[in-house]
Structure formats: structure tokens, C-alpha cells
Amino acid sequence: MVYSLPEEVLEHVFSFITSDKDRNVVSVVCKSWYEIERWCRRKVFIGNCYAVSPAIMIRRFPEVRSVELKGKPHFADFNLVPEGWGGYACSWIDEMSRSYPWLEEIRLKRMVITDESLELISTSFKNFRVLVLSSCEGFSTDGLSAIAANCRNLRELDLQESEVMDLSGHWLSHFPDTFTSLESLNMSCLGSEVSFSALERLVAMSPNLKTLRLNRAVPLGKLSTLLQQAPQLVELGTGAYSSGIRSDVYSALSKAFLGCKELKGLSGFWDVDPSYLPAFFSVCSRLTTLNLSYATIRSPDITKVINLCPNLQRLLVLDHIEDSGLNALALSCKNLQELRVFPSDMYVADANVTLTEQGLVSVTQGCPKLQSVLYFCHQMSNSALITIAKNRPNLTCFRLCIIEPRTPDYLTHEPLDIGFGAIVKHCKNLSRLSLSGLLTDRVFEYIGTHAKKLDMLSIAFAGDSDLGLHHVLSGCESLKKLEIRDCPFGDTALLANVAKLATMRSLWMSSCAVSIGACKILSRKMPMLNVEVIDENGTLNPKLDNCLVEKLYVYRTVAGPRSDMPGYIWTMDRDSANKI
Amino acid sequence: MGPQGLESTELRLGLPGSDDGGGGERSVKKRVFSGGGWEADVCGGGKKRNMDLVVGWPPVCLHRKNKKSICNVRNLYVKVSLDGAPILRKVDLSCFKGYWELGMGLEELFDCYGIGEAMKEENKSCEYIAIYEDKDADWMLVGDVPWLMFTETCKRLRIKRRSYADGIGLHADEKD
């Protein structure tokens, strides 16, 4: 019988259960399982740092080795969240430094972290191995110097897309001579140059280095030297991929790439000079990931590369690939799982770039394993969307951005409701969806009816009335994250679905039609939610209940209202709106 | 303010353009929500909509937008002189991404071997030293400040031979 199994046995069994969801399920079986599980949980993932407090986490899970935290709402990526909003890592790092001496890994996303916190990390955790700062800010190269100098067992330092204050390129020199454990370094976001001799030294003394992502300032001439020191690399991010100055760069580079027999992923490629592209052709047949999304090369060059990469699983590229390049992709890359096509010109359709919906249709037809799509384009039709849905029912992530808001089907001038309706109907495992184009409440009816596995939904410039929002909140059973901007959704739908919000991680609504009165009611009915109203313009009068709010962020929490809000955020507290 | 003006601030939830009662070539008023009501904000025709007013659209990450805008729009041509060479050259600083490339460029122009390495690495000695005149008309050693700051303050460049510079100090003769 299960209840007679000794603790050690249960603990051993639990050690094979690594997914958070499974761990959470295990912990609610019974009290003794809860106790055993909490003592042996080693990894904690907190999707909203304000949903819980450091003290609560530490009290429940005393033996954690790895913590992952996310801070700002996703729309912060697009400048919709004002400066000073929050997401401070400080209190987390402080408390963990006291309570988790054996902490090995910290992963932060969209959080603000200071040099002081980085220094504290570097001195508090003797066995610290992994630091990932994804889209973070608030720190400088001084903080990185502390990490380099003090983390003797560091394996991974990943600064993905963070904003780093570049005070000096010499932070790399702070790695001591005895430091040999580095496996992964991503410094691609750094603006300024780093010391080359320090970089070369670091690479030379890191025999386990598998991932190296350089920043734009590392010239192509230096890349061959680094590759020769690290032929074991599996993932490489180049710096600027042109060298107008030296002519021997090409042959050295080509030779260096020949030596890289393990290389599976390539990225970087800023400022590409197409004549240097063939230098890496020798690795193409092994490539599974290729990120050309900063490379402003034209379709013929891109197509040449793609035709050499039959094992490609993941491709990120600019719309310069055009329909012709996507057709080539559909023919050559039968293992493709993820495609992201970014716009080269943000606002106006470039007459020289022929990327239409046809390219996407081709890829969904030709690539049977395609699961994840992010696609920016200027035109779409319902028939194309229906074809895509029927071609690829195994899609799990479909993010379509038609650049001009409210663009109808370019063939029929109808809304794109039935097109997206087909997507949610056929793609039964769809977990992430971003909508665009002209959409009425009808599309939300389809989504509410069919998108039962949908976890995250992004809506912009869509819908006619509250009914749209109501369909989503009442129908999408698995919905955890909902972000909406510029839609005519308001009080009625929100207040008709208050209980739903407690089952979700968060709701973001900006430039919609929600009133402050509704926010107060919501807060009164649902004390386990933080209802935060962002009023950047300072025009909000919280006493006027029918005053509309600019931006609303609602999330469930066990930590109560937060204490670090800036002056422009009002928190709803039962009947009133409060500021700090 | 006539009826025209009032109409533009009226709360509407219809499709864009539907209030104008006429189709075809009419430009579409973009409705931007602001504070207490919907306001017509921008009249744009066809495809060339003024997207600058729509914050955060299209939804592209800031770092991707920023990186793209580093295309060399500004021309930062500065004069470069080499001690002993009668003809001056000009270089466009915006062509280089950092001190390393500047050094390589100067080496190509003047055959002053080693100057690139010397700019980056303090320990490397070289026959040549690169100095620049900044906005305050002071002569400074190239390589101390972050690259972008340098490009913004550099007015002219000078490559001095080490043997000429000794004993003079680095605030060498400003008069050429």
C-alpha cells in the first residue's frame, strides 16, 4: 500500500518527477506527500514574481537549487509598460542569499536587477552555476565583473536581450586563470566592445564551452581565432558578419568553420556581407537552428543557405526571405518545427519584398513537423488561413501579425473571423495564439468554443463589444495569460467572469473600455487578485466610477498588494483606489 | 468648433471608416483611445499610415527595433593626420563599430601597423599613438571612453609617432 512506503522511497520516486505541473499535482495527493515533496523540490518556477513572496517560497521549499522568476507583463517587450513599473529582483536575491546557500541556478525574465544584487549572488552561493538574465535591465558590466570574479563554478552566463549599461569591456578579464568550467556564454546584447584578449583567453581555457554568442562589436576577423580555439562549439552567435578591411578573413573563417564538427546552431549575422556567407556552408548540413533575423540579405542568398540545411528545425529570418525563399524552405527542410519571420520595415510594405500569405501556406504544406509559427506580413485571406489550419493541425503556437491594424481579407474584404476560426477548430493542441487583422466578436465565439487547450492569447485592435471578451473568458478553459490592447471590451464581460481570473496567471488590458468602478467591484469580489490600474497621464480620478482606465493589470496572488508600485499605479482595495 | 469638430470626438465602436458614410478612396480615421473617450487621432491614407503614434505596434521587441536603427545614417567624417605625412585623410567614424575596426581602417590608410591592437590593449606597445581632439578642444588618447561616446565627441584624429610624442606628453602641440 502506498501509505506504508518509507519516506526515502517516495523521495526517490519523486526525484524522477521534474516538471512543475507534475510536482504540483503530487503535492496535493495527501499531507505526507505534500511534506515529502516540498523538502525534495529542487526547482521552482514562478511565472509572476508578484504572485508569491520570497518568504513564502522559502518557507515551503527549503532545499531549492534552481529558481526561475518572471517579472513584467509580456507587453513590456513592446514598450507598453511604463518605466519604473516594477519587477525588482532585489528582495528575492536578498532573501535567497540568506536561506539558500546551495542555490545553483537563477533565471530571471523581464526583471530589474542591480549590480549590488549581482555582487550578492556572486558571493552568497558557493556552488553557483547558471545565471540567465533574459530581457532584464538595471545592471552594468560592473555587476558582470563580480560574477566573473567570484563564481568559481559558473557554467552558464546568458544575458539574452537584456539592457546592460556598458561601462567597460574589461569585465571578461575578471574571470580568474583557474576558471575552466564555462559551458555557455551569451553576450550578444552588449553594445560596446569587450576586451579581445580577455575573450580569447576565456575561450582558450574553457574546454567545455558549447555555446558562445558574441556581440555585434566582435569583428569577423576575430571570429576565426575564436573558432579555432573552440572547435567543439555546438551553438555560435557571430558578431558583425562583414569585413570590408581585410581580405584574408574569408579563407581563415572558412577553414575555422570546417573544423567545427559539432556546430548545430548559428545566430548573430549583423551587417552581413553576402560574399562571406559561403564561409559557413560546410556546417549547414548539420544545422538544426539558424537565426538570420538580423541579416538583411536578400532572398536568393537566403534560399542558397536554406537549400544546404536539410536538418533545420528552427529558422528565424526577416521577410527578405520572401515567398520564394519560403517555398525553398518547404521543399528542403522536412524537419522544420519552428518558423519566425520578422518584418524588415516596421511600417510600410516594401515594394521590393514579396512576402505574402502564400509563403506561409507553402511551409505549412511542405513541413509536416511544423508546430510553432510567428509571421509578420501585410496581407492575409480567410482561404489561406483555412488551408494552413487543414495543412497543419499539429500547430501548437500560431502568432500572426498583419502589420496594418484591422486589415480585412484582401480578397473578399471580409473580416478574418472564419480563417482564425478554422485555426482553432483544426489545431486542437493550440496553446498560444496571437490575432491580427479585421476581427469581429464572431472570432472570439469560435475561440471560446474550440480553443480548449489555449494557454496564452494576444488580442489587438479587434472585436466589436463585450461579447467578444465574454466568449474568451467563459470558453477557454485552459487560458492562463490574456493580453489585450485597443479593443472595445469593458466592464460587463469582466464582471461576468470574475471567477475565471483566479484561474489565470494574469490579464492585461490597455486602451480598452474598462472603468475604475468595475475595477473596484472586481477587487471587492476577488480578494485573491491584485487589480492594478496604470495611470501614466495622471488624468484618472478614482472617485469617478465611470472614468475609464488607461491600462489594467490583474493577477492572482497570495502575497497581497505589492509595496513597490510607482506613483502612477493605483491598486484597487475593495471600495477604494489606493496609491503608495 | 463646428459640428465637424464635435463629430471627431464622439464615442464610436463601429468599424473604422464606417461613420463617414462613403466608401472608396476615403482616408480612414484611426481611433486612438485616450483617457476618457475615443478620439480620432490620425488620418492616414492607404498603406502609409503614421504608425509612430501607435505605441508598441507592430509588436516587435525593442532590442530588435533598436538594433535595426543602428544603420549608419549619420556621417561622422573627421580629418586624420599622420605625423610626417603632408596629406591628411578623412574617415567616416560611423563606418566603424568600434576601436578595433577604426584601428584596422587607420592601418590600411597610413600603414601604421599595430595601431589597432594598441588602441584596444593597454599593454601592447606600438610605434604609433592615436589621439583625438574632443569638443572641449582637448587632445585625448583614443580608446579610453566607450565607442559611441567617442564618436560623438571626436572632432579630429591624429596619429603620432611614439618617438615624437615622448617628452611632450599627450597634450601634444595642437598647432599643426
Side-chain angles (χ1 to χ4, degrees), chain A residues 479-580:
Chain A
L479 195 65
K480 292 282 175 291
K481 287 159 283 180
L482 180 57
E483 48 185 23
I484 305 172
R485 61 162 298 173
D486 293 275
C487 297
F489 299 151
D491 300 349
T492 319
L494 204 57
L495 295 178
N497 293 281
V498 294
K500 173 70 178 169
L501 297 178
T503 69
M504 291 168 55
R505 182 187 295 175
S506 65
L507 166 68
W508 168 281
M509 291 179 74
S510 56
S511 304
C512 294
V514 179
S515 73
I516 198 124
C519 294
K520 290 181 196 167
I521 297 172
L522 176 60
S523 178
R524 191 166 63 237
K525 287 191 171 179
M526 305 291 289
M528 76 289 285
L529 298 178
N530 276 356
V531 180
E532 293 179 7
V533 170
I534 295 174
D535 173 40
E536 249 184 306
N537 295 332
T539 54
L540 190 74
N541 182 348
K543 296 206 176 64
L544 287 182
D545 278 1
N546 57 3
C547 193
L548 295 185
V549 311
E550 213 179 282
K551 294 175 183 175
L552 171 67
Y553 188 52
V554 179
Y555 56 92
R556 65 179 171 188
T557 179
V558 294
R562 55 186 179 112
S563 53
D564 60 1
M565 289 181 292
Y568 56 75
I569 296 188
W570 298 83
T571 180
M572 300 298 110
D573 179 22
R574 305 180 74 81
D575 291 316
S576 60
N578 298 330
K579 271 194 185 188
I580 297 303

Side-chain angles (χ1 to χ4, degrees), chain A residues 140-153:
Chain A
S140 77
T141 42
D142 285 353
L144 298 179
S145 298
I147 296 286
N150 302 324
C151 298
R152 296 302 158 99
N153 296 311

Side-chain angles (χ1 to χ4, degrees), chain A residues 328-347:
Chain A
L329 185 67
L331 285 173
S332 300
C333 302
K334 297 303 180 187
N335 290 326
L336 193 72
Q337 294 171 17
E338 182 178 346
L339 173 66
R340 296 195 191 199
V341 180
F342 294 96
S344 50
D345 190 309
M346 292 298 147
Y347 310 121

Side-chain angles (χ1 to χ4, degrees), chain A residues 93 96-98 100-102 119-126:
Chain A
I93 308 292
M96 292 194 299
S97 71
R98 281 190 286 272
Y100 288 158
W102 301 113
E119 195 163 348
L120 190 58
I121 289 172
S122 76
T123 52
S124 307
F125 310 116
K126 296 286 168 263

Side-chain angles (χ1 to χ4, degrees), chain A residues 16-31:
Chain A
F16 294 100
I17 300 170
T18 48
S19 111
D20 291 311
K21 289 198 169 71
D22 292 341
R23 278 267 173 174
N24 291 342
V25 165
V26 161
S27 68
V28 296
V29 166
C30 62
K31 279 201 174 125

Side-chain angles (χ1 to χ4, degrees), chain A residues 99-390:
Chain A
S99 306
Y100 288 158
W102 301 113
L103 191 68
E104 295 173 2
E105 304 180 355
I106 293 177
R107 293 177 172 83
L108 305 178
K109 187 165 186 177
R110 289 190 205 98
M111 293 192 75
V112 179
I113 182 166
T114 59
D115 286 342
E116 287 72 32
S117 290
L118 286 174
E119 195 163 348
L120 190 58
I121 289 172
S122 76
T123 52
S124 307
F125 310 116
K126 296 286 168 263
N127 215 19
F128 196 68
R129 295 188 187 180
V130 172
L131 181 64
V132 177
L133 301 174
S134 179
S135 304
C136 293
E137 56 173 346
F139 62 104
S140 77
T141 42
D142 285 353
L144 298 179
S145 298
I147 296 286
N150 302 324
C151 298
R152 296 302 158 99
N153 296 311
L154 193 70
R155 296 212 180 137
E156 184 177 337
L157 178 60
D158 184 340
L159 305 173
Q160 190 170 319
E161 293 166 31
S162 289
E163 289 280 329
V164 185
M165 279 174 282
D166 252 314
L167 300 178
S168 151
H170 290 283
W171 64 273
L172 272 179
S173 330
H174 285 84
F175 284 108
D177 291 330
T178 48
F179 178 69
T180 55
S181 52
L182 196 66
E183 292 175 15
S184 173
L185 175 64
N186 179 0
M187 43 175 242
S188 54
C189 62
L190 293 182
S192 306
E193 295 173 339
V194 293
S195 154
F196 293 133
S197 57
L199 181 58
E200 284 176 61
R201 174 177 151 265
L202 181 63
V203 170
M205 63 186 186
S206 305
N208 298 319
L209 193 66
K210 295 282 186 297
T211 299
L212 178 63
R213 299 204 201 277
L214 304 168
N215 64 335
R216 191 177 186 168
V218 176
L220 202 54
K222 280 293 174 189
L223 185 56
S224 3
T225 323
L226 294 170
L227 286 180
Q228 262 147 18
Q229 292 282 8
Q232 76 282 0
L233 279 180
V234 176
E235 289 181 329
L236 171 71
T238 74
Y241 205 77
S242 53
S243 184
I245 319 264
R246 289 289 186 71
S247 49
D248 54 343
V249 168
Y250 181 88
S251 47
L253 191 61
S254 188
K255 184 157 170 258
F257 271 116
L258 263 173
C260 294
K261 304 285 185 208
E262 308 296 323
L263 209 53
K264 294 222 165 52
L266 276 180
S267 59
F269 295 109
W270 288 284
D271 316 307
V272 176
D273 175 349
S275 56
Y276 282 95
L277 287 174
F280 75 85
F281 282 2
S282 59
V283 305
C284 283
S285 61
R286 284 183 294 267
L287 283 183
T288 56
T289 303
L290 183 57
N291 184 349
L292 292 172
S293 62
Y294 293 102
T296 52
I297 48 177
R298 291 282 151 181
S299 183
D301 290 315
I302 304 178
T303 305
K304 217 189 304 182
V305 172
I306 285 173
N307 285 334
L308 293 170
C309 303
N311 290 312
L312 212 54
Q313 292 172 14
R314 202 166 165 252
L315 176 66
L316 288 78
V317 74
L318 287 174
D319 58 8
H320 290 306
I321 190 174
E322 299 188 328
D323 288 346
S324 54
L326 290 172
N327 290 335
L329 185 67
L331 285 173
S332 300
C333 302
K334 297 303 180 187
N335 290 326
L336 193 72
Q337 294 171 17
E338 182 178 346
L339 173 66
R340 296 195 191 199
V341 180
F342 294 96
S344 50
D345 190 309
M346 292 298 147
Y347 310 121
V348 176
D350 184 347
N352 293 330
V353 173
T354 329
L355 180 103
T356 70
E357 79 285 3
Q358 281 315 307
L360 183 57
V361 171
S362 280
V363 176
T364 57
Q365 204 152 338
C367 302
K369 299 186 188 168
L370 187 69
Q371 285 185 323
S372 176
V373 170
L374 170 63
Y375 201 76
F376 284 82
C377 60
H378 291 272
Q379 68 183 40
M380 186 51 63
S381 67
N382 281 310
S383 59
L385 283 171
I386 293 168
T387 308
I388 288 166
K390 289 183 173 161

